[in-house]
Amino acid sequence: MNFLLTLSRRIDRFTEFIGRSVAWLVLAAVLISAVNAIVRKTLDIGSNAFLELQWYLFAAVFMLGSGYTMMRQEHVRIDVLSGRLSKRAQIWIDIIGITCFLFPFVFMIIKLAMPLVINAYQTGEMSSNAGGLIRWPVFALLPLGLLLLGIQGVSELIKRIAFLQGLIPDPTAKQGAKSAEEELAEFLLQKEVAAREAAQQGGKA
């Protein structure tokens, strides 16, 4: 199990690197969008290439960041039923979900997408818009993003099995993050403290 936990940590470090690197694409997309808008409004010059590059970057952030999002426990979770169960039961649900749904889903999408990527690359498929970009790079983001998600799924599976064995703490806890209830309680406490300080200052005056 020590070997698997070491593998999990290495996968997490790799996913962390990918996530932090991909985050810069958000800045690139914003800058390209701003420049494109300014040029279009001031010089009346448009570019389909820049417009398509924006959604290429959006696709890259969405797909390549999926594994990072999973590692950070930020994917949408429906806890209406599982939230009432014990932590071990929740972990077992995660294990079943990863093995029976995530891994088959990743495999099938990659299997179906790769022929499209290869065909687009071999034929040099271009956008149908005038001045548009080549298509295979954005097509390739789908299998690549799913591959990264599947790799992180391996790490998450290892961590959940290790948790059931009592080797690590709860892997589903958001590290350093506050729940909505904690944020609300902190906000109300700050308001109460501010009100008391204002009352004390008013009494002294």
Side-chain angles (χ1 to χ4, degrees), residues 34-46:
V35 171
N36 195 40
I38 292 172
V39 171
R40 187 172 65 252
K41 295 294 184 181
T42 58
L43 303 178
D44 195 25
I45 299 175

Side-chain angles (χ1 to χ4, degrees), residues 145-193:
L146 267 294
L147 176 62
L148 294 175
L149 180 62
I151 291 173
Q152 185 58 39
V154 172
S155 175
E156 298 303 317
L157 180 61
I158 293 171
K159 286 185 284 189
R160 280 153 179 77
I161 294 175
F163 171 79
L164 292 177
Q165 296 179 354
L167 300 177
I168 62 172
D170 181 10
T172 64
K174 296 182 181 179
Q175 300 297 324
K178 298 178 181 178
S179 66
E181 293 79 6
E182 290 173 333
E183 291 180 352
L184 177 60
E186 183 177 337
F187 173 73
L188 293 176
L189 178 61
Q190 290 175 350
K191 287 190 64 177
E192 182 179 351
V193 171

Side-chain angles (χ1 to χ4, degrees), residues 123-156:
T123 60
E125 181 177 345
M126 299 289 296
S127 169
S128 59
N129 298 316
L133 303 176
I134 56 175
R135 284 292 175 85
W136 72 262
V138 73
F139 288 173
L141 289 174
L142 180 58
L144 179 57
L146 267 294
L147 176 62
L148 294 175
L149 180 62
I151 291 173
Q152 185 58 39
V154 172
S155 175
E156 298 303 317

Side-chain angles (χ1 to χ4, degrees), residues 60-92:
V61 172
F62 183 82
M63 293 306 306
L64 302 182
S66 58
Y68 178 79
T69 304
M70 184 181 192
M71 183 185 72
R72 291 293 182 179
Q73 306 298 315
E74 296 293 346
H75 278 170
V76 176
R77 301 172 65 93
I78 303 176
D79 296 330
V80 176
L81 297 178
S82 64
R84 302 178 182 179
L85 303 176
S86 67
K87 176 54 65 174
R88 291 184 66 86
Q90 293 177 21
I91 293 297
W92 271 112

